[in-house]
Each structure stands twice: as structure tokens, then as C-alpha cells.
Amino acid sequence: MRIKLNIPENSVQTDTAYMSDVLGEQKNFPVLVIGRDSYIEEAWAEVVFDSGMIYNLQVGRYTSIAGDVKIIVDMNHDYRRVCQGRINGAPYHRPERIRRKGQVVIMNDCWIGDDVTIMSGVTIGNGAVVAAGAVVVKDVPSYAIVSGNPAKVIGYRFEERQIEALELIRWWNWTAEKVHAAAGLLYGDIDTFIETFLPDAQRELQQIPMADIIPMEKTKSGPDRRLLYIPDFEQDYPTYPNVIEAFVNSYADTNYELLLYIREDADLQEKLERLDDIFSKYEDVDCYVNLFVANPEDERSLFGQVDGYITNRSTDNVRYMDMADLYGISCISGVDVPMFAEQVTERMCRTQTDKMQIDELERKVGELQTMLSNLTNAYKQQIAQLSTNQYAMNLSVDNLKYEVLATQDKLQLPTIRSGQEAIDKIISERKSMARFGDGEFAVIAGVNRQKFQHADAELARRLMEVLHMENEEVLLGIPDIYGDLSKYNTECRYNIRAYLTEEVRKQNYDLLDMDRTYYDAYVTRPYASYLDNNTDAPKQRFDALKKIWQGRNLVIVEGEKSRLGIGNDLFAGAKSIVRILGPAEHAFDRYEELLAETKKQGKDKLVLVALGPTATVLAYDLAIEGYQALDIGHVDIEYEWFLAGKGRKTEVKTKYNNEVAEGDQVEDIHDAEYESQIIARYV
């Protein structure tokens, strides 16, 4: 069958499936799935449809396909038969001796030139260019430029470092509104674009939580592999029955695991019943199938914990293939025959985003095992129990010597007293506190790590001054992340390890005084990061903090959208509250005005500051003037998360929150008491 494809520019405003009753069975089949703002001038798909195995063409977002493009889908001839032709009067059967691979996927931001031919089973990577007249017979790498017959790589659109940055940013996954707003930069200089958007992308990736997948205890033979598949229940021609059958036939009595991700919705019971009907066919077969029924906060969290992704024909498939590409895992076509070809499964291994090879990782593990050979069995078991996610495992291995040896006096680590000790000194000795974290260290290094405070040379100089000050009335806080991490939950440990590379650790150590006593900067983060956040412990930590301002007159210096204590009882014990509002972002631009306004208040009042890195400097400057001032950072948003009781960071729509997606989009409030407390605005 020859199908003409013509999708005009600007006609696809959302990811769309074009349906057709190709088999005459009064069922819809997605002949073409195409992403937002992609177009096809004119292409011809030559396809053989049969009820046993039918393929479709999938195109990502912002991809341009020129005229006279030919896509050959599942037109293989079985050259191993004696006769390659057709015999009049004799029934013809589809090829059985050769692999049938039909699904053609053209990812995001691709350009396909005139008169190109694309053969079955090809995936063209993000950002690739296929020159006019090329015949593409194998996969095209991301951002490659290919030409010729057969098509070969003749170059790349950008330098390697630029491609690596673009593969972190993945701008095509933004909302249409954000893409439109960034159009000037998208049509402009590559380095300016990267400089603008890479810091946010890196921070966002570091904050992806780990999905809570229940591990399966495996006792069969062979390597331990987990394959992710997302059943396409909504399709008239679903792939999931064939995928499950192929998995059972290929991997029974092995340690391969099929992870089925099923979203919770109104049709969940029906979905589970349909799966039960299929599973009943294999009651006597021993294989590992793991159901993950959830609506995870970020679906990318699944891909960091699997070895392969099995595709389907849905409108979400290209998006999921893009997630697999982000984590460097293989994609296996869920419509090919055979599905689990040897050359495909041989490629499956967990790789981290920096593409470290497995043999290098094993070498590191071996070195650490030798180094730790004299430790107790309990410590040795920590190595065996490291996450099976390869990226997380690599981070764990890199950081393990600091975590395990922290109590062995074998490494020099900063001296960091507990948050409770800091609270005791703040209450009994009226100490002030200035805190440092990744944001403050980034400003000192001249790096734009945080959206809410750009790098500033003067702010960096002042932060260095505070970090090296000798005033005993000011407690210096740094996060307790350099040694043992056992008190933190999995997500927090993962993020700490991702941030605290050997390079970053050295940068921090160069700034710190190993003979000085610091206090835990996480004293103002009592909830979301801790392993015990589902116990009574967070309440006890918040109760201890509340004693600081119990019966005190407060001056709260905060960003205009922070609204500390509004909508909760965090400051219910305070005697009085006045507020000075600064900018929600880049508060240091108004520093002198904020400092002068705060100094108008009486020195008997307790000043609480929440202005990002600016708060560190402001708390110090006020302290040396005789005020008691505390840089309290995220304490209010942590309290909101605690009250929500979900054990993690969540959106708070009425408060600025730099640690969740779209946390800078804050709803207006109308609170008379809050408005009456505001004595000055510098926004």
C-alpha cells in the first residue's frame, strides 16, 4: 500500500495521531504520529499491512520533512527462500526467516531533505540532518549530518560540548508557550542559547526524584536486566499482548524483568483485568513481571532505573524514546519480529549520562573494595547494596569513601555541629547565623547555578568576606553533606552525590577552614531531605525552631512572593511581625536599600531573612551592627511540605519555590493581616 503524507506547516499544534481503518475492520490505526509544529511537505510511505504485525511512522516535535521523501515500511523480501517472486495460484506468506523491522522514528528538531529514502526500522536522532537524495539504511546519531547512498555521517551540526548541552536542555519538551517565548534565542547563536538555558536544565535534572519501584528478588540465571514497557491500552491495535508474549517466550527462567508502567486513572481496574487475562495464559511459566501502578511526579525517574525501553505506537512514544536517550538506554521496537533480537539485547546495559563505560565503573568498584577490605562486614555490605541504577551507582561509588570512612578518622572532613546545637546557641546566647549552600558557593565561583540569583562579582566578594569572618557572634552554616549521608532519604542522597563531584568537593574544600567549627545549614530544612520524614521527628525539629522566635518581635526580610508563615502557624508564637519585601529574584540588586530599611528597626527585634545568597550577607552585616539576624532560607516552604505530609517536595501555588517545576509561577493572595505587616517594599 502506498500512502501519501502531506502535513502543512503550522497545522500541528499538539502531538497528533492520524488514524485510518487500514485493514477494513472498522478500527482506527495510527498510520502517522507527529509532534507539535512538525510538518511534511510531501512524503510517500510504502507499507504492507497485515493483522499480525502492522507498523506506523512516528515523527517528533519541530521536525521538517521536505518533498518527495519515501519511507519504506516492512517491505522486506525473504531472500533465503528458493523463490523470491510470487507463484500464480499459490498463497503467499510474509517473511519468516528474516527479521521484520518496520517502525520508522524521526525524533525532534530534524531536517529531512528532498528525495530522501528511509528504510524500515530506522531511527533518526534528535537534531539530525539528512541531506537531499540520501538513502538511510541504519540509525542516524543525534545532531549528525548524513548524506549519500547508503547514508553516512559527514559531520555534525555543532561541537561536541554544544551537543552535550543541547541534549541536557532538550528544549522541544518545553511547553509551546515557553518555546515561543524563546524563539529569538532558538533562531540565534548556539552559545548564547546554551548559556541562557543550561543552568536551569542541569538543576532540573538533579532534582528528578527516584521512582519508588519495588525491587524483585531474582534467583534465575543470566544477567539482571529490567526492561520498561508502557502498555498502550487505548489503541484499537495494542502492542502489549505481543510484547508480553515475546518477553515470556524469550526470557522465561532468566533474571530479565519486564516493568509494566500503568498510570492510575478511572480505567485502572479495566486495565488490570485485561492484563490478568493475558497473564492467565502463562500461569505455568516462571518469569519476572513487575507492575508499577502510579502517577509519578516526573516520568523520567523511571528511565534512570531500567536497562531498556520497549516502544509502542502511541502519541507518547517519541517522548518516552527521548527520555530513554537522556539516560543512554537502548530502545527495543515493540512491533518488530522477533522483538528481542540478539543484536538488540546485547547492547542493553545501564549507562549514566556522562557515558562512563561499565569496565571503568567495575575498575572503580574493585579499587574501593580493596581499599575497604579491612572494614567490618557491615560496611562492606554497603557496596553490595548500592543502587542498581548505573548512574546512581557511579555517583555512590565516587562518594562512598567519604560516607563510609567519615566515622573512621581516615579522611579530613569539615567539622559540622548539628542543627540542634545551632538552635541552642541562637536561643541561649543570642547568636546570629549566616548559611552557605550550593547556591552561595556557585556565586563565589561565578556560576549562574540558581535562577533566582545571577552571579554577581560584588556579591561573590561579600560572600567570601562572610565565609572567612572571625566574628564569634555569627554562626557559619554549611550543609552536612561531606561525610556520612545515612540520615538522608534516597532522593536527597542521590542529589547530593550528583552535586558533590570530586571537582566541586575540591572547590568547596579550598574555601573552607578545616580547623573551624561550622553548623549544619540544613537546620532550616527539617523535612523533605530526611529518611525519618514519615515519623514524628520532623515535627520535633520544627518545634525546636519555633522556640527561637517564641514571644519575640520579628522583622521578616523576604522576597515579595515568599510569604513566610502565611497560611500556616509557623510564626504563631511570635509576639509581633513586620515585613520588608525585596525582589523575588536577584535580591542583591536592592541590597543597600534592604540593609538600610532593616537597620531602622530596633535591635531588640529578631530579624529573619529569606533572600537566597543575599540573606547570607545581610544576616552577617546586621549581626556586626548588633542585631540578631538569622538566614532562615527554606524553612517556611519546608513547613508547607511537612503539613502536606507527602514525604517530598510539592508545589505551593501561593509561594515562590525554586525547587519544583514552575515554582516561580505564584498565584496572588488577598490577606489583610499579611498586607498590614508590610512596612516597606523594594521590588
Side-chain angles (χ1 to χ4, degrees), residues 661-681:
E662 300 182 352
D664 58 345
Q665 299 179 20
V666 183
E667 295 180 357
D668 291 334
I669 65 169
H670 301 284
D671 188 303
E673 183 180 7
Y674 168 68
E675 293 295 334
S676 69
Q677 294 171 351
I678 300 171
I679 60 173
R681 298 176 188 262

Side-chain angles (χ1 to χ4, degrees), residues 116 124 133 142 156 174 176 197-198 227 281 288 299 331 334 339 345 388 432 459 521 542 648:
V116 165
I124 297 176
S142 294
Y156 285 84
W174 296 347
F197 294 109
L198 181 59
L227 309 182
K281 302 175 184 177
Y288 296 108
E299 290 179 315
C331 289
M339 195 172 300
T345 54
T388 55
S432 294
L459 176 56
F542 278 113
R648 56 181 172 82

Side-chain angles (χ1 to χ4, degrees), residues 111-167:
W111 165 242
I112 312 299
D114 284 302
D115 197 30
V116 165
T117 300
I118 302 173
M119 303 301 290
S120 277
V122 163
T123 295
I124 297 176
N126 291 317
V129 174
V130 181
V135 178
V136 185
V137 298
K138 62 181 181 180
D139 292 353
V140 177
S142 294
Y143 290 96
I145 302 171
V146 299
S147 178
N149 181 6
K152 296 181 179 179
V153 176
I154 61 172
Y156 285 84
R157 289 175 58 194
F158 304 111
E159 299 174 12
E160 183 177 356
R161 64 173 180 83
Q162 295 169 329
I163 292 173
E164 290 175 354
L166 289 170
E167 289 183 329

Side-chain angles (χ1 to χ4, degrees), residues 314-374:
S314 73
T315 53
D316 292 322
N317 184 59
V318 171
R319 182 167 62 88
Y320 290 133
M321 289 181 69
D322 190 60
M323 293 180 189
D325 181 64
L326 172 65
Y327 284 92
I329 65 173
S330 298
C331 289
I332 304 162
S333 176
V335 294
D336 284 357
V337 177
M339 195 172 300
F340 301 108
E342 183 178 355
Q343 60 266 37
V344 174
T345 54
E346 280 181 350
R347 293 200 307 265
M348 289 190 310
C349 61
R350 295 183 177 91
T351 57
Q352 59 275 31
T353 52
D354 65 358
K355 311 300 184 186
M356 175 175 284
Q357 298 298 313
I358 297 303
D359 56 354
E360 173 66 10
L361 181 65
E362 291 174 345
R363 182 187 65 79
K364 283 192 171 189
V365 173
E367 289 178 353
L368 279 168
Q369 287 174 328
T370 300
M371 182 183 72
L372 299 174
S373 60
N374 295 325

Side-chain angles (χ1 to χ4, degrees), residues 207-213 292 296 298 300-302 304-305 327 387-389 391-393 490-492 494-495:
Q207 294 173 354
I208 295 175
M210 297 285 282
D212 190 16
I213 300 172
F292 180 72
D298 191 324
R300 289 174 295 183
S301 61
L302 293 169
Q305 302 180 67
Y327 284 92
S387 169
T388 55
N389 173 274
Y391 182 46
M393 184 176 182
T490 300
E491 179 184 349
C492 181
Y494 181 88
N495 290 334

Side-chain angles (χ1 to χ4, degrees), residues 159-341:
E159 299 174 12
E160 183 177 356
R161 64 173 180 83
Q162 295 169 329
I163 292 173
E164 290 175 354
L166 289 170
E167 289 183 329
L168 290 177
I169 296 171
R170 295 182 185 260
W171 59 268
W172 44 83
N173 292 321
W174 296 347
T175 64
E177 292 76 17
K178 184 173 180 179
V179 172
H180 187 268
L185 290 169
L186 283 163
Y187 287 147
D189 173 67
I190 178 66
D191 286 325
T192 302
F193 177 82
I194 290 172
E195 182 180 351
T196 303
F197 294 109
L198 181 59
D200 279 354
Q202 291 172 320
R203 179 170 59 85
E204 178 186 330
L205 289 172
Q206 290 173 356
Q207 294 173 354
I208 295 175
M210 297 285 282
D212 190 16
I213 300 172
I214 299 175
M216 305 186 77
E217 184 177 349
K218 300 176 183 178
T219 59
K220 302 300 180 183
S221 62
D224 183 356
R225 296 283 186 264
R226 176 186 282 164
L227 309 182
L228 172 64
Y229 173 68
I230 304 167
D232 46 356
F233 294 104
E234 74 285 355
Q235 298 281 325
D236 285 349
Y237 295 96
T239 59
Y240 68 88
N242 288 339
V243 169
I244 294 173
E245 179 182 16
F247 178 82
V248 170
N249 291 337
S250 299
Y251 296 121
D253 297 313
T254 73
N255 284 328
Y256 273 75
E257 170 190 342
L258 181 64
L259 178 66
L260 299 179
Y261 163 40
I262 303 167
R263 300 180 192 87
E264 290 188 80
D265 57 24
D267 299 321
L268 177 60
Q269 187 60 39
E270 180 187 348
K271 294 176 183 178
L272 296 178
E273 289 173 358
R274 291 165 73 176
L275 288 177
D276 281 342
D277 289 342
I278 295 176
F279 293 155
S280 65
K281 302 175 184 177
Y282 308 109
E283 289 180 350
D284 298 329
V285 179
D286 198 354
C287 64
Y288 296 108
V289 178
N290 193 350
L291 295 186
F292 180 72
V293 181
N295 294 320
E297 181 180 343
D298 191 324
E299 290 179 315
R300 289 174 295 183
S301 61
L302 293 169
F303 289 81
Q305 302 180 67
V306 300
D307 302 287
Y309 165 66
I310 302 171
T311 69
N312 58 36
R313 289 189 287 257
S314 73
T315 53
D316 292 322
N317 184 59
V318 171
R319 182 167 62 88
Y320 290 133
M321 289 181 69
D322 190 60
M323 293 180 189
D325 181 64
L326 172 65
Y327 284 92
I329 65 173
S330 298
C331 289
I332 304 162
S333 176
V335 294
D336 284 357
V337 177
M339 195 172 300
F340 301 108

